[in-house]
């Protein structure tokens, strides 16, 4: 049985806050639907103190902004985007169009067709998440999306130059300095100056995540997302200092970010806790990491490694770091996770920033039914059918007629009957009875 050396706050405290967010987001969405650009500008002024003549950056403005970014930053952006692009292209190449012949002249197939346009939200309120531009825009362009609209908020009234550079280098077709629910709503429903898109992607705060949730169905979204999560599986061979640093690396995302250690060694668990208590006071981001660890940090001791894997699966965490003697064992054992990070040479921060896999991943247990953002999210797998052999059409018509009448769908049955009669030897009894 697992033992808890540290437990989180009760879940009820978290649930109450979400209801208020949902109500506020719903009101903003309704207002933007009704008043368009006027409402978008009002909310941008209210929440970001930002009301330029145009939210969209012109090519000249983009060129000027990118020119002011240090060369090393641009080089690093290009390096990371190449890692993301390489992996996304490998994913796209694995998705083959299909066409098979199931009966003589009966051809069934599918094709992967990119959505006509996508909206990429790149957060920037608390931190300028430059990497989110790589993950959303580069991946969409590899998928073949012809129009990618990208939004990022100003930061304290300033243009986030590195983020704009990343959006531009990633291939964004339109860049808007616009944040929050107003940005997500404008991209989804469209306004007088911002053309709507059929799909939204990208992480964001609780309000952005809730806006995407409420808009889902009207538009597609990459996934439902909440606060960033990390779960570390460690055995007695792990370095407790490394474990502590990695847990805090994700806790700094925000005060509601869960950080969980599942270990087979109680001694290691207690040592990790001591390291965290020592490291936290000196962290520049302790205002976020401290409450996150206090309220959402957990240390769970399992009796065996198999039990540790089972416990980890029950969390279905966004990021699972495996710091064990044989980390690849998790690949064959686990099933519910957003992304696995195998071995001490790997860390969640690599996935977030540089390694090339996508960092937009499922949270709040969504890993039980979905993976993260990837090139396939921007593609619609659509089918086609063709019956070019008359004998096969006659055969299918006969079966269709019988199958449809079992379900009391007479109109469907008659479509089959027509072909069974035209291409075979059947008669249309229902047509003769009508006097035709």
């Amino acid at each position: 049985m697992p033992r808890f050396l540290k437990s989180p706050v009760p879940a009820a405290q978290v649930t109450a806050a979400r209801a208020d967010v949902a109500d506020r987001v719903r009101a903003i969405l309704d207002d933007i639907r009704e008043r368009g650009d006027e409402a978008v500008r009002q909310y941008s002024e209210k929440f970001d103190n930002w009301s330029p003549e145009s939210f969209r950056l012109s090519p000249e403005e983009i060129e000027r902004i990118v020119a002011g970014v240090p060369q090393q930053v641009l080089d690093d952006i290009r390096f990371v985007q190449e890692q993301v692009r390489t992996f996304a292209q490998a994913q796209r190449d694995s998705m083959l169009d299909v066409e098979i012949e199931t009966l003589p002249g009966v051809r069934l197939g599918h094709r992967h067709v990119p959505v006509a346009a996508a909206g990429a939200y790149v957060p920037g309120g608390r931190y300028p998440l430059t990497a989110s531009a790589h993950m959303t825009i580069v991946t969409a362009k590899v998928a073949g999306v012809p129009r990618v609209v990208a939004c990022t908020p100003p930061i304290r009234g300033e243009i986030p130059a590195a983020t704009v550079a990343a959006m531009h280098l990633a291939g964004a077709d339109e860049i808007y300095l616009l944040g929050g629910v107003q940005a997500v709503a404008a991209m989804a429903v469209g306004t007088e100056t911002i053309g709507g898109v059929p799909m939204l992607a990208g992480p964001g705060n609780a309000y952005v995540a809730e806006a995407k949730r409420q808009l889902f169905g009207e538009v597609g979204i990459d996934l439902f997302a909440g606060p960033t999560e990390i779960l570390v599986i460690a055995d007695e061979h792990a370095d407790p200092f490394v474990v502590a640093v990695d847990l805090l690396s994700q806790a700094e995302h925000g005060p509601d970010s869960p950080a969980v250690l599942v270990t087979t060694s109680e001694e290691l668990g207690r040592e990790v806790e001591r390291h965290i208590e020592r490291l936290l006071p000196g962290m520049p981001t302790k205002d976020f990491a401290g409450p996150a660890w206090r309220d959402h940090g957990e240390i769970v001791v399992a009796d065996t490694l198999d039990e540790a894997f089972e416990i980890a699966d029950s969390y279905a965490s966004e990021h699972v770091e495996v710091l064990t003697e044989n980390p690849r064992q998790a690949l064959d054992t686990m099933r519910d996770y957003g992304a696995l990070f195998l071995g001490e040479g790997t860390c969640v921060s690599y996935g977030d920033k540089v390694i090339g896999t996508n960092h937009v991943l499922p949270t709040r247990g969504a890993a039980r039914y979905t993976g993260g953002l990837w090139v396939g999210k921007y593609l619609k797998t659509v089918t086609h059918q063709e019956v070019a052999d008359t004998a096969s059409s006659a055969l299918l018509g006969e079966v269709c007629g019988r199958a449809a009448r079992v379900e009391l769908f007479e109109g469907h049955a008659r479509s089959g009957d027509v072909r069974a009669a035209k291409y075979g030897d059947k008669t249309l009894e229902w047509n003769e009875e009508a006097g035709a």
Side-chain angles (χ1 to χ4, degrees), residues 351-369:
D352 279 351
K353 307 300 181 187
V354 298
I355 206 167
T357 49
N358 208 293
H359 79 192
V360 182
L361 297 166
T363 63
R364 291 180 176 162
R368 292 177 293 109
Y369 61 82

Side-chain angles (χ1 to χ4, degrees), residues 180-257:
V181 176
Q182 58 271 22
V184 173
M187 288 191 288
V189 306
T191 70
E192 299 92 323
T193 60
I194 302 175
V197 298
M199 180 181 171
L200 297 172
N205 63 18
Y207 290 91
V208 168
E210 177 61 20
K212 288 171 62 182
R213 189 190 70 80
Q214 292 189 23
L215 288 162
F216 178 60
E218 183 175 350
V219 296
I221 65 171
D222 47 1
L223 45 80
F224 297 113
T228 288
E229 305 163 348
I230 182 173
L231 186 148
V232 176
I233 301 171
D235 60 14
E236 69 276 12
H237 301 284
D239 183 334
F241 177 71
V242 171
V243 174
V245 169
D246 287 355
L247 286 168
L248 290 177
S249 75
Q250 295 300 297
E252 75 175 356
H253 272 275
D256 51 359
S257 291

Side-chain angles (χ1 to χ4, degrees), residues 84-291:
V84 175
R85 187 175 291 107
T86 297
F87 188 64
Q89 188 61 56
Q91 291 179 319
R92 181 64 186 92
D93 292 343
S94 75
M95 301 179 68
L96 303 178
D97 290 348
V98 169
E99 187 169 278
I100 63 172
E101 189 171 46
T102 59
L103 293 168
V106 178
R107 291 183 279 272
L108 310 180
H110 76 226
R111 293 187 176 185
H112 304 293
V113 179
V115 296
Y121 187 77
V122 182
R126 187 177 293 145
Y127 305 115
L129 292 184
T130 305
S132 290
H134 320 328
M135 306 302 175
T136 53
I137 302 167
V138 169
T139 307
K141 282 301 181 183
V142 171
V145 179
R147 174 178 172 246
V148 177
V149 179
C151 286
T152 196
I155 300 179
R156 294 176 290 278
E158 299 293 328
I159 295 173
T163 303
V164 171
M167 297 160 93
H168 172 65
L169 294 174
D173 299 287
E174 302 168 28
I175 297 176
Y176 296 84
L177 281 182
L178 185 63
V181 176
Q182 58 271 22
V184 173
M187 288 191 288
V189 306
T191 70
E192 299 92 323
T193 60
I194 302 175
V197 298
M199 180 181 171
L200 297 172
N205 63 18
Y207 290 91
V208 168
E210 177 61 20
K212 288 171 62 182
R213 189 190 70 80
Q214 292 189 23
L215 288 162
F216 178 60
E218 183 175 350
V219 296
I221 65 171
D222 47 1
L223 45 80
F224 297 113
T228 288
E229 305 163 348
I230 182 173
L231 186 148
V232 176
I233 301 171
D235 60 14
E236 69 276 12
H237 301 284
D239 183 334
F241 177 71
V242 171
V243 174
V245 169
D246 287 355
L247 286 168
L248 290 177
S249 75
Q250 295 300 297
E252 75 175 356
H253 272 275
D256 51 359
S257 291
V260 179
L261 169 62
V262 180
T263 181
T264 54
S265 168
E266 182 172 337
E267 180 182 353
L268 179 132
R270 296 194 183 281
E271 187 65 22
V272 167
E273 189 168 22
R274 284 192 288 270
H275 278 303
I276 289 176
E277 297 304 325
R278 178 178 61 84
L279 291 167
L280 258 174
M283 283 188 71
T285 51
K286 64 183 177 183
D287 289 347
F288 300 136

